[in-house]
Amino acid sequence: MQEISLLNSVIGPVMRGPSSSHCAAPYMMAKLVRELSCSDGEVLKNAVVRFDPNGSFAPVYKAQSSDENFAAGLAGAKLTDPDYRDILGRVEQGEGFQFGVEVTELENNNHPNRVDLELTVETADGTLRTDLYAGASVGGGMYYIDAMNGEPVFLTGKTATVFVWGDGAVLDAGDIAQKLASGTNTLLGTSVDPTHQRVEVSLQSLPDATVLDAIRRRDGVVAVRFGDASQYPVCTGDDLFSTADGVIAVAQQQPGSSLADAALVLEAKRLGLSRDATRKLFRERCELMLRVVAEGFDAKPEDNVMRFLTLRARKVRDANLPAGLGGPVLQDAMAGALSAMERDSNRGLVCAAPTAGSAGVVPGTLYGLIRHGIDIDGATDALQVMAVIGAVFAARGTFAAECGGCSVETGASAAMAAAGVSYAYDGDAKQCFDAASMCLMNTLGLVCDPVGGDVEIPCHARNVAGVSHAFSSAMAVLAGFDAVLQYDELVDQTVKIGSMMHPDLRCTARGGCAATKTAHRMVEAITQGI
């Protein structure tokens, strides 16, 4: 079953913090387990988040604000809440609930981003109950919960989910599913587990409280728990994005052989929406990205919380460079990328595209296009193309730098942006994929080495390079260059090489730029408050 969604997984999620793996997914995972544990009016009293010392969370969770996002999710906060960043400090002092992070060896540590969550809740009768969850963040804000109180599950937040326990639930699973999906709701799947006397029902949205209460009162039902979808609900698990040729074939069925239309058709199918409704969502996402860039340019130096960098995006945009050096489109795109990353590093609301560590490339590219002749409809078309290029990458690999280094973040985002630029200037589907291929072949083996664990150095510079890479690749292909090597093969090699990298080169802040003498001095100075 393929759950990749262009708006959820590739040009999303919308999030706060510098890392989609370490910020977006933790927020959504925490919010989901809180909903599950507090489904029957329970009150969260204590939460403990556990990371393995050999995983990627342990060395960077403070610098990348993973703890901040776990705390906000457990508090049930909205991303737009004005006090979002204050929640961690409050719960660490016991306000609302007790919160703690432990670094300890996990029983299951088969992924660098594994996490265990222990929630203690007070039930309606005043007794305490402890729930144990286990899961992993798998890149680009995607995640899974694969254990709940010792029972195997596989929750990705791509649907609303209702669990019903009891012998009566197993016997009446079909009827229960139909009752939960009453009205305009859509039933997306039902799973019966006789061993644990459990029925799992996947839905497009959660039923209202009266429907859930009616299920609780049924004979033979002992418990009901539920959690809403973390993002747009996924309504079909069809394999839509696994190959470039498959996407191009869909494009060739659309008016004018449009790759942008192919993206629209495939995403509408994935989300169970009309093409018009899906197009509206893409345009809103495009406008959000441009708004993030604008907010970054308007940021004030006194509001900057970055540990190593100062705000430079506006300076880069307004600089008077020598005539003929790069050109105004590229300069604006580079400045736009920096602006989005500065917003990202300052914990502003941003869109992972496909990750927070590469959240500047796509918005910066769109900003450059908009500033120089491409209207909002054309930019939205380009964004749709960028998204479908990224989806093929996601279908064959991962966006988690902890698994593949920076080649799966800024390498992937540059490939996406290159395809979008090619499309904006009338490139056909093959040229779009060729431009993306150029970016991948030139970023094979790019390491992830954030100084001090912060997504600042070299991440901001790599986003600038990603934009430059995107435009140069598009220019070369539109001028007649042939990438020769196929996009699918280069994605596969990107993933393969990433798996061969030493762990110190995959988002642990122990190698590469992070291991330079200057980096060590900077981190030491910050740590000691110099």
Side-chain angles (χ1 to χ4, degrees), residues 10 42 56 176 505:
V10 186
E42 294 93 339
S56 64
I176 286 174
L505 304 178

Side-chain angles (χ1 to χ4, degrees), residues 68-323:
E68 186 175 293
N69 280 276
F70 274 113
L74 288 164
K78 295 180 180 179
L79 287 165
T80 53
D81 284 355
D83 63 344
Y84 189 94
R85 297 207 62 212
D86 300 327
I87 293 172
L88 174 63
R90 295 205 304 262
V91 299
E92 284 181 330
Q93 298 301 315
E95 183 179 326
F97 60 93
Q98 296 284 339
F99 175 80
V101 173
E102 295 179 0
V103 177
T104 184
E105 194 168 312
L106 302 183
E107 182 177 345
N108 185 351
N109 191 33
N110 60 356
H111 190 284
N113 288 338
R114 289 294 301 196
V115 58
D116 286 358
L117 299 106
E118 179 181 306
L119 275 61
T120 301
V121 297
E122 183 178 352
T123 64
D125 62 6
T127 59
L128 296 180
R129 186 188 75 231
T130 297
D131 292 331
L132 301 174
Y133 301 90
S137 164
V138 294
M142 293 179 280
Y143 70 90
Y144 59 77
I145 302 290
D146 59 357
M148 177 172 61
N149 291 328
E151 297 182 18
V153 295
F154 193 76
L155 302 173
T156 62
K158 297 297 193 301
T159 68
T161 303
V162 178
F163 290 102
V164 186
W165 282 269
D167 54 2
V170 172
L171 289 172
D172 298 331
D175 183 61
I176 286 174
Q178 291 301 319
K179 290 290 193 301
L180 291 170
S182 59
T184 59
N185 208 344
T186 301
L187 178 63
L188 301 176
T190 304
S191 173
V192 180
D193 181 352
T195 301
H196 298 99
Q197 290 197 324
R198 186 189 75 205
V199 174
E200 177 183 349
V201 182
S202 300
L203 302 154
Q204 191 168 23
S205 61
L206 283 178
D208 63 36
T210 57
V211 174
L212 291 166
D213 285 342
I215 298 298
R216 283 193 185 93
R217 292 194 299 269
R218 292 172 72 113
D219 291 339
V221 169
V222 297
V224 175
R225 295 197 194 181
F226 52 85
D228 208 350
S230 302
Q231 297 171 281
Y232 299 117
V234 169
C235 294
T236 175
D238 294 356
D239 186 345
L240 304 180
F241 303 114
S242 289
T243 67
D245 285 346
V247 171
I248 291 173
V250 175
Q252 290 172 342
Q253 299 166 9
Q254 308 310 311
S257 299
S258 168
L259 201 54
D261 280 345
L264 198 60
V265 167
L266 293 170
E267 184 68 350
K269 182 177 182 180
R270 180 68 88 214
L271 300 183
L273 300 174
S274 69
R275 288 183 57 170
D276 286 346
T278 307
R279 173 67 175 187
K280 184 174 182 289
L281 294 177
F282 273 113
R283 178 158 176 156
E284 289 173 353
R285 191 60 54 87
C286 185
E287 291 170 342
L288 170 64
M289 290 183 173
L290 294 170
R291 187 163 65 250
V292 167
V293 172
E295 289 171 353
F297 285 134
D298 290 340
K300 299 175 182 178
E302 58 266 29
D303 295 329
N304 180 39
V305 299
M306 291 188 288
R307 295 204 299 170
F308 304 116
L309 297 178
T310 56
L311 302 176
R312 297 296 179 91
R314 188 164 57 235
K315 182 176 182 179
V316 170
R317 182 194 63 186
D318 297 340
N320 291 316
L321 295 174

Side-chain angles (χ1 to χ4, degrees), residues 361 365 410 413-415 417 439 461-471:
V361 177
T365 299
T410 57
S413 61
C439 289
R462 293 225 176 109
N463 276 259
V464 170
V467 165
S468 307
H469 202 176
F471 276 91

Side-chain angles (χ1 to χ4, degrees), residues 468-485:
S468 307
H469 202 176
F471 276 91
S472 63
S473 297
M475 290 168 63
V477 167
L478 294 176
F481 184 80
D482 188 347
V484 182
L485 301 182

